[in-house]
Amino acid sequence: MKDFTFSVPQDIVFGIGSLSKLPMLLQKIGSGKVLIISGRFLERLGAVKKVADIIEASGISYETFLEVEANPSIETVKAASEAYKKSGATSIVVLGGGSPMDVAKAAGVLAGFGGEVTQYEGADRVPGRIDPIIAIPTTAGTGSEVTAFSVITDKTRNYKLTIFSNKLIPEYALLDPELIMSLPSDIAAATCMDALVHALEAYLSTAASPFSDAMAEKALELIGKSIRPFVSSRNNEEAASGMMLGSMFAGIAFAWARLGNVHAMAHPLGGFFNIPHGMANAILLPVILEYNALTDTGKYEKIYNCIKRSKAARMNFTPKILIEEIRELNQSLGIPAALSELGVTEDTIPDMARDAMKSGNILVNPRQSTQKDIEMLYKKAL
Ligand code: NAD
């Protein structure tokens, strides 16, 4: 067995209605004024007001920054950091999917240490702790509430850069399944598939450890059980709770085991074509599972047993059975079968493959890959 280290450094609060515990968490971090970071859609839904009212009722003042877009840009991070500094806030409450959570982390870095987002790109380049963040996820999801990553789009390069540092990890992850019940079914489908891919890639990664496997297996069990009922009825409390917890366990698993080719290849699809992250992952997943099948030593069957529709035992399991199940799952959730349906064109493949090769996730994919392999995989997914 390989050496490993593992820790879960932040506090996690979970429960239906647990948003009401926000004042207690603000008190624990000794917060003064708060900057709420979120997006306009969540504002329109009334979710931002709900959070703001809870903060106000506890006697803490706040300002808001609500300009976060999907696949958020360096410019948005700069604007959020300026808003934070100008407000005089001492902590950030972030409400949203991965996009607002990643902006909050990167804005915390700029507010604390100055400079440009690109100078923190890569691993361990953040010099110290950033101001406290309380992360309240509204998708299930990216797991960003428990990860040390911030993924930001550099539009000048059509490139999604990653800042990777333990200094980014939110102080608290506040998981209230009620908050994901407002998701439209297409966003629910894409974001839930993102969580499934996190669990699955972390489980198959060459950097997996017994600890990350335990997290990934729990995530697969919860997501496998919840993904179909949640996407079909988002007000199903049991399924929403399962998805929210599964996404968080998957986040902890991949924070340590990293991911694989699916994620390495999904980021350029966001950078070049602005394809929603979870949807890019879901389309690539069966293609990469097929490519990695050569390396399987039994985990494919365990994954299959978590996500299969039928409870019946399956004799003579082969990787193809898992791949077909994933294709069926994508189809039943309304995920397009091919990248060409989303406007991806063959001429961009060499550039996307070049960017995918820069990702550390390529190095932990179970099957070694060259740029030519990645180009071939994009073509298959096209
Ligand atoms: P998102 O945050 O971009 O949100 C997608 C859409 O869903 C937005 O329009 C948003 O307004 C809407 N939305 C969010 N919650 C809602 C709710 N409860 N009800 C109705 N609408 C809601 O989507 P995401 O998939 O959560 O995040 C994707 C981003 O996260 C990508 O940029 C991706 O690269 C990044 N990411 C980060 C990590 C990490 O560890 N930091 C991991 C994976 C992905």
Side-chain angles (χ1 to χ4, degrees):
M1 194 175 286
K2 284 187 295 187
D3 297 353
F4 66 89
T5 57
F6 204 88
S7 68
V8 183
Q10 76 276 74
D11 288 303
I12 295 158
V13 176
F14 169 83
I16 302 259
S18 60
L19 189 59
S20 63
K21 296 191 176 145
L22 181 56
M24 179 186 83
L25 306 188
L26 285 166
Q27 206 178 15
K28 280 196 177 170
I29 60 171
S31 181
K33 191 172 181 181
V34 164
L35 182 72
I36 302 174
I37 294 184
S38 190
R40 290 289 171 200
F41 196 56
L42 286 162
E43 182 193 30
R44 281 199 294 278
L45 283 176
V48 174
K49 183 171 179 339
K50 207 169 160 188
V51 168
D53 286 351
I54 290 174
I55 295 174
E56 198 162 42
S58 67
I60 293 175
S61 60
Y62 70 88
E63 283 186 30
T64 57
F65 178 84
L66 305 177
E67 307 305 331
V68 182
E69 76 280 34
N71 294 316
S73 66
I74 286 180
E75 290 73 22
T76 302
V77 171
K78 277 189 189 161
S81 141
E82 286 309 316
Y84 182 71
K85 285 191 287 189
K86 218 168 124 199
S87 71
T90 60
S91 68
I92 296 174
V93 169
V94 56
L95 175 78
S99 299
M101 288 195 277
D102 287 358
V103 167
K105 292 171 177 176
V109 174
L110 289 196
F113 307 105
E116 297 294 326
V117 172
T118 45
Q119 81 192 55
Y120 303 100
E121 183 177 344
D124 296 325
R125 300 181 72 184
V126 180
R129 281 293 308 173
I130 61 174
D131 281 355
I133 295 177
I134 298 177
I136 309 175
T138 62
T139 62
T142 64
S144 182
E145 69 275 13
V146 288
T147 73
F149 304 103
S150 169
V151 185
I152 302 298
T153 301
D154 180 346
K155 290 196 261 185
T156 61
R157 294 183 279 165
N158 287 331
Y159 184 65
K160 288 185 83 171
L161 64 85
T162 299
I163 306 173
F164 172 30
S165 165
N166 283 344
K167 312 285 191 325
L168 300 182
I169 296 176
E171 207 89 1
Y172 280 96
L174 178 53
L175 307 181
D176 184 345
E178 267 181 7
L179 292 170
I180 62 170
M181 293 183 188
S182 56
L183 281 167
S185 67
D186 57 338
I187 301 180
T191 51
C192 291
M193 281 304 289
D194 187 24
L196 175 65
V197 176
H198 290 155
L200 199 149
E201 286 208 290
Y203 196 44
L204 299 176
S205 156
T206 58
S209 70
F211 260 113
S212 66
D213 275 357
M215 298 289 143
E217 282 174 5
K218 192 68 194 169
L220 286 165
E221 176 198 318
L222 287 162
I223 297 168
K225 202 167 65 182
S226 314
I227 190 164
R228 291 178 180 88
F230 177 67
V231 175
S232 57
S233 319
R234 270 89 62 216
N235 58 1
N236 176 334
E237 275 191 9
E238 196 57 31
S241 300
M243 269 317 306
M244 186 134 241
L245 274 182
S247 165
M248 181 269 295
F249 278 116
I252 294 173
F254 89 78
W256 289 90
R258 312 266 347 231
L259 294 157
N261 280 6
V262 177
H263 268 78
M265 291 173 63
H267 281 167
L269 289 166
F272 279 80
F273 295 99
N274 206 21
I275 295 178
H277 177 68
M279 192 177 286
N281 278 332
I283 298 170
L284 291 166
L285 182 60
V287 175
I288 308 301
L289 279 175
E290 208 165 37
Y291 174 74
N292 288 340
L294 193 63
T295 66
D296 181 42
T297 52
K299 282 184 168 176
Y300 272 41
E301 187 169 8
K302 288 187 181 167
I303 296 167
Y304 171 74
N305 284 332
C306 290
I307 65 162
K308 68 183 179 186
R309 285 151 297 167
S310 147
K311 292 283 161 275
R314 185 116 199 189
M315 303 297 283
N316 305 322
F317 177 85
T318 63
K320 214 171 161 199
I321 292 170
L322 171 63
I323 295 156
E324 275 165 13
E325 190 72 16
I326 296 284
R327 288 213 161 97
E328 182 285 329
L329 179 61
N330 274 345
Q331 195 186 9
S332 65
L333 299 184
I335 304 273
L339 294 174
S340 55
E341 291 178 44
L342 298 169
V344 179
T345 47
E346 195 162 345
D347 55 311
T348 50
I349 286 181
D351 286 340
M352 290 198 297
R354 185 204 56 222
D355 283 354
M357 288 303 291
K358 291 181 196 155
S359 164
N361 289 320
I362 293 277
L363 303 175
V364 296
N365 187 69
R367 183 169 171 181
Q368 277 183 353
S369 315
T370 62
Q371 177 155 342
K372 282 273 160 274
D373 296 325
I374 300 298
E375 286 179 16
M376 176 274 292
L377 292 167
Y378 273 128
K379 274 185 198 146
K380 273 199 167 169
L382 206 59

